[in-house]
Structures are given as C-alpha cells and as structure tokens.
Amino acid sequence: MKQKNKIKSILIANRGEIAIRIAKTTKIMGITSVGIRTLKEPNALYLSSVDKVIDFPDIDNGGIPEFLDIESLVLLAKRNNIDAIHPGYGYLSENAQFATRCTEEGIIFIGPSPRVIQNMGDKVIAKEIAAKNNVPMLGGSNGSVDTLEDALDVAEKIGFPLIIKASAGGGGRGMRVVYKKSEMKQMYFSASSEAQNAFNNPSVFIERFLENPKHIEFQIVGDSHGNVIHLGERECSVQRKHQKLLEEAPSPALSEELREKMATAAVSLAKGAGYVSLGTVEFLLDKQGNFFFMEMNTRVQVEHPVTEMITGLDLIELQIRIARGEKLPIAQSDVKLNGWAIECRINAEDVQSGFSPCTGIIKGLRTPEGEGVRVDKGVVTGSEITPYFDSMVAKLIVHAKDRPTVIENTLKALNDFHIKGIKTTIPFCKAVLHNEVFKGGSFDTSFIEKDMDSLVHHEKDEALFGALLAITNHRIENEPIKEEKQSLDAWSLINRINNM
C-alpha cells in the first residue's frame, strides 16, 4: 500500500470541465495530472489541461462506457504507476466497488472509504444513520419495502401523499409520488422496476411526501483525524425533474438560527457516518422552516464553485490533502461566508423542446470576463457536442457583495456569454434571473413547473429581440446577415441565426 502522503500523480477518471478543474488544482499543488483520451472525443479540450495523456485501452470490455469501466481504469493506473485516482462527479464517483478495487490495488481513491460510500448510497442505511444522530426525518417505512402488501401497510400508517424511492441511486430515477391508494400498485411496481433497470437493485422505501419544499444542501468536509466542519449551504431549488439548473450560496431562505441548526445536523450525520473527505448533506425545507434529511452525496458536487467563491477555499485541494492523510487546515471558526454567488449551468439543450439535448459543432464561443466572474468550461470553438455525454458544456459562476448585486452581475455576464452553432440554456437562465419570484427568494422546487410558461415566453422575447436587433444592424457577432432573412417569419429567422 502506498503511503497516503505520497500522492505525486493523479489519474482523472472523468472528462469535460471537471477534469480541467481538477487538473488546475493539481498543477498548483505540484502533482502530475493524467487524463484519459477516448475514441468518442479524441481531441477534447480537457486533454490539453493535463500533464500527461494516456489512451483508453483498445479492448473488448463488453460495451461498458469508458468512465464506467472499473477494471480498465484501475489497470491504467497500475500500468502507469499512478498514485491516486480522482473520480470527479458522476460516473464512478459514488461507486463503492470502484473505491474498493482502488484500495485493493494500492491506489488512493480520492473520496470516502468504500464502506461509507456504500452506507450513504443506500438510502435505507443512510436514513438509519441519520436517525441515530438525531437528524430530523420525514416519517416513512422502517427500511426497504419488499412487497406491495407491505407498501400498502406503510401507506395506511403515514397517509397520502407519499413518495416511493429507490434504495440505491438517485437523480429522480426509481421515484414515484402517490396521491391516493388506488395508485399504489402501479406506482410501487413502476418505481421498483425503474430502480432495477437503473441501479440493478429493485429495493425501494417509502416516505411522507413534502409538497413543494426547498432543496438546501450543506457542504461538509472531514479528515481522518476526527475533524468535521461545514462550509455553509447552497440553495438548489431551481430544478426540473430533480435535475438542478441554477444554484446559489448562501440560501435566501435561511436565517442565521436556522443555518446553525441545519449545519449542526449535517456535521452530526457526517461524524456518525465516520465521514472522511468532501461531501454534501441534502435537506428538504418546508414553508414553516422545518427541515428533513433527504440524502448524502459522497463526492464533489457540480455546484461546488459557489461555495469556493463565498469561502475562498479550493475544495478539490481539500479533497486531495485529506486523501494524503493531512489534517484539515482550518477549524469551523475560520470559515467565513463572504458575499453571494450564483452558478448557471450552461447546457446544450433546446428549452422550447422540453430541454431536449442539442448536438452539433460549436461555431463560435465568447465567454464573459471581469471581477467576480468565473467560467468553468469543457469546450472551445470547433468542439463537437455529441450524444455520448452529459449536455452540460460550461458553468458560469458569479460572486458579488450581496444577492441583488450578484443577480445583476450574473445577468450582465450572461449577456456577454455567446455560443454559436447549438442551442443552450443561456436565455433560460436569463429568464430565471429576471423572474420576480426568483428575485424575491420565495421559490421552491416547483418553481420551474409553475413558471415554465412565463420563463419560456421570456426566452422567446429575448430571442426575438436579439433577432430583430441583428436584422437592424445587419450583423450578428460581426458577420453579415443576408437581406433574404428579412422575408422569413420571426421563428424561422431565429433558427437561422442560431445555426449560423
């Protein structure tokens, strides 16, 4: 087994902007970063950010996607004498088997132990740990529910509405809301079947369903010396079908008193779980200010930059230092939350077609700059957006002194963010930031569903305005517009301009 204070090289078992993000920190720390080239994107931007590039082995692995192939990834690390593997987020980042194989082969897995990943990934076990550590819980089943008869018994006790959830996994899969008894049979078998297909585990559990809560998560970090602290919360209620679209830190919903209560619960859970590494404890918050444990994510989050912006800390560096066996360099009293930060996920999606993925070649790219503005991106002009990977192409993160200012500055940055050749969620993010409910801070997880019509209408207004402005000036990003476009109807015109 390698000594944990000897991380001289790290294999980044991921791609896109998170691979670039990890490589940025390893460079500062003097650690050699190693990236993996795949046949699906052999010229990807992230490959130019690492110190060394190795090719994914040309073997028959049964069609397993490259970044999900545990044995090939471990083999790559072994063959190249790499000390550690950083999984980023998604893919194998919360896979206990992957962490186990790394440990067995003497490779440092930059994340929690396999046991903790397994426990917190199993929603039933995670709930048991939370309950033992006095973390507020929604009422529900005691463990998994293995038959329809048991599910009906639980429903009788807790009442409707209720929610059926997969015991393993997340992301909204294997999840069904039930409003009345007559729906139980269909929803129970539907949730179990989807859980089996998504996670190879049909087990489900049942909870009381909280109507339209807020989704608040706390960033925690623990070392192998028994120290656990929190780095404040993130507001994650702007989401669609359980997928986050925009995050901010801190949350406009929390008073200092409530923040302290939720943070105490998050730290208590992490200590009870024996947590070592970076992690996130997620809560649901009702309109009366009551909060309830939802789940724990045992990895770095997509939205980690907003926490970095308000704390001044490098979370990837903390992960690596903890993996090396070091003590946390800060105590809870050292953590200061300064100002406000917002992150917009820039996805290659057509919002007006139900957020459907948009593939193609990026023909032009201009990103915003300025004080408090950060762009984490995995593409450049000429990059191809393929159907093989997640639709997120960049993240815009903006930091300012307070929430009104950061909303204003984020809108300015979005106006300076131009991607040509594909449709993106940039206009949609603008619409969210212009929305009065969002600006008032009273939104919850039903926000997108309730305001979808007005948000898309605003997006159309923005697109139409841009199209008409382009016609008036006879240019778009300094390229001439042919006179014939003036004879097109407005939406055909906008589509033509988007595809120039």
Side-chain angles (χ1 to χ4, degrees):
M1 177 75 71
K2 291 181 172 65
Q3 295 298 313
K4 286 196 173 182
N5 61 351
K6 297 292 184 181
I7 296 181
K8 296 181 179 179
S9 58
I10 292 177
L11 176 66
I12 302 173
N14 216 304
R15 58 171 294 279
E17 65 85 18
I18 187 60
I20 296 171
R21 169 69 191 88
I22 295 167
K24 179 180 179 181
T25 290
T26 59
K27 188 175 293 294
I28 294 172
M29 297 179 72
I31 297 171
T32 299
S33 59
V34 184
I36 302 170
R37 177 165 37 222
T38 69
L39 293 175
K40 292 174 182 173
E41 48 175 3
N43 301 308
L45 178 64
Y46 72 90
L47 298 173
S48 64
S49 299
V50 297
D51 298 311
K52 180 181 179 182
V53 175
I54 56 178
D55 291 311
F56 190 82
D58 184 15
I59 58 174
D60 181 6
N61 65 349
I64 302 172
E66 294 89 342
F67 295 108
L68 291 175
D69 189 340
I70 292 174
E71 293 306 319
S72 291
L73 292 170
V74 171
L75 182 62
L76 281 175
K78 289 283 288 182
R79 282 181 175 175
N80 291 276
N81 297 314
I82 298 171
D83 300 314
I85 292 180
H86 197 306
Y89 54 70
Y91 292 121
L92 295 170
S93 60
E94 294 180 284
N95 188 294
Q97 182 185 352
F98 184 42
T100 297
R101 288 293 294 122
C102 288
T103 302
E104 289 173 346
E105 296 296 337
I107 302 163
I108 298 169
F109 179 81
I110 300 179
S113 69
R115 178 185 62 83
V116 169
I117 295 174
Q118 182 68 40
N119 287 345
M120 303 317 293
D122 186 313
K123 302 300 186 292
V124 173
I125 297 176
K127 285 179 60 180
E128 292 173 353
I129 294 173
K132 287 180 182 177
N133 289 278
N134 301 313
V135 179
M137 308 286 293
L138 286 166
S141 60
N142 294 319
S144 62
V145 179
D146 300 319
T147 68
L148 176 61
E149 290 71 23
D150 289 342
L152 289 169
D153 287 343
V154 173
E156 187 72 26
K157 293 175 183 177
I158 68 174
F160 296 93
L162 57 81
I163 186 166
I164 304 171
K165 293 183 178 180
S167 296
R173 291 175 293 179
M175 186 182 297
R176 297 292 185 275
V177 177
V178 186
Y179 289 94
K180 51 188 178 181
K181 185 176 180 179
S182 61
E183 299 173 343
M184 275 296 294
K185 181 177 180 180
Q186 177 187 350
M187 294 300 191
Y188 172 79
F189 287 113
S190 177
S192 181
S193 176
E194 187 171 77
Q196 172 64 37
N197 292 334
F199 312 115
N200 197 33
N201 183 347
S203 180
V204 297
F205 66 97
I206 296 175
E207 283 183 336
R208 179 168 63 89
F209 179 62
L210 201 60
E211 294 270 13
N212 303 332
K214 272 185 165 290
H215 182 158
I216 309 292
E217 62 185 29
F218 271 76
Q219 181 71 67
I220 62 93
V221 58
D223 64 24
S224 57
H225 303 272
N227 303 303
V228 180
I229 63 173
H230 75 87
L231 305 179
E233 83 280 2
R234 296 186 286 258
E235 169 68 70
C236 301
S237 300
V238 179
Q239 52 184 256
R240 176 181 178 272
K241 295 185 177 179
H242 308 287
Q243 299 298 316
K244 301 165 188 173
L245 299 174
L246 183 150
E247 302 94 353
E248 60 182 301
S251 167
L254 270 57
S255 63
E256 285 300 326
E257 180 182 4
L258 182 54
R259 177 175 292 112
E260 184 60 30
K261 287 181 179 179
M262 295 179 75
T264 298
V267 170
S268 177
L269 172 65
K271 287 182 176 179
Y275 201 88
V276 176
S277 191
L278 201 68
T280 306
V281 181
E282 308 207 359
F283 297 104
L284 298 177
L285 177 69
D286 69 16
K287 292 175 174 56
Q288 288 73 46
N290 303 304
F291 64 93
F292 307 94
F293 172 69
M294 182 170 66
E295 64 182 5
M296 185 176 194
N297 289 313
T298 56
R299 53 174 167 77
V300 65
Q301 296 277 75
V302 174
E303 58 272 21
H304 77 276
V306 290
T307 297
E308 293 186 326
M309 295 294 250
I310 66 169
T311 62
L313 298 170
D314 183 329
L315 300 193
I316 302 296
E317 180 181 349
L318 285 176
Q319 273 190 305
I320 296 171
R321 291 193 179 281
I322 291 167
R324 293 200 302 202
E326 298 179 23
K327 288 184 178 180
L328 284 175
I330 54 173
Q332 190 64 65
S333 59
D334 298 319
V335 178
K336 308 297 181 185
L337 306 184
N338 300 311
W340 217 281
I342 286 178
E343 173 181 284
C344 296
R345 300 193 187 193
I346 310 301
N347 299 333
E349 295 174 351
D350 184 351
V351 176
Q352 294 172 22
S353 295
F355 291 84
S356 60
C358 184
T359 59
I361 303 294
I362 294 180
K363 298 177 181 178
L365 175 63
R366 187 175 76 214
T367 57
E369 299 177 347
E371 184 178 356
V373 176
R374 166 178 165 181
V375 177
D376 289 7
K377 60 184 176 70
V379 295
V380 291
T381 298
S383 293
E384 180 180 5
I385 307 303
T386 72
Y388 301 119
F389 302 108
D390 184 82
S391 62
M392 190 177 71
V393 296
K395 301 184 304 196
L396 169 67
I397 309 100
V398 180
H399 179 246
K401 62 180 180 179
D402 53 35
R403 192 167 188 266
T405 305
V406 81
I407 290 175
E408 179 183 354
N409 290 357
T410 304
L411 280 167
K412 290 178 181 177
L414 285 167
N415 286 332
D416 290 336
F417 206 136
H418 298 284
I419 301 179
K420 236 171 72 172
I422 59 170
K423 294 181 180 180
T424 74
T425 53
I426 289 175
F428 184 77
C429 291
K430 293 181 188 179
V432 170
L433 293 168
H434 276 296
N435 185 275
E436 292 302 321
V437 174
F438 176 82
K439 288 195 284 188
S442 62
F443 57 94
D444 54 43
T445 52
S446 68
F447 169 63
I448 298 297
E449 180 183 345
K450 287 179 179 177
D451 290 82
M452 189 66 189
D453 287 343
S454 63
L455 291 170
V456 172
H457 176 71
H458 184 281
E459 181 188 359
K460 289 180 178 179
D461 288 346
E462 292 251 347
L464 183 57
F465 175 77
L468 294 175
L469 182 63
I471 292 173
T472 301
N473 294 332
H474 284 262
R475 63 181 177 83
I476 181 167
E477 294 188 5
N478 298 319
E479 293 186 18
I481 293 181
K482 296 179 181 179
E483 295 293 335
E484 66 184 49
K485 288 192 174 72
Q486 296 190 40
S487 64
L488 299 172
D489 67 90
W491 296 114
S492 295
L493 171 63
I494 290 168
N495 288 331
R496 291 281 295 274
I497 290 175
N498 281 336
N499 291 319
M500 285 184 63

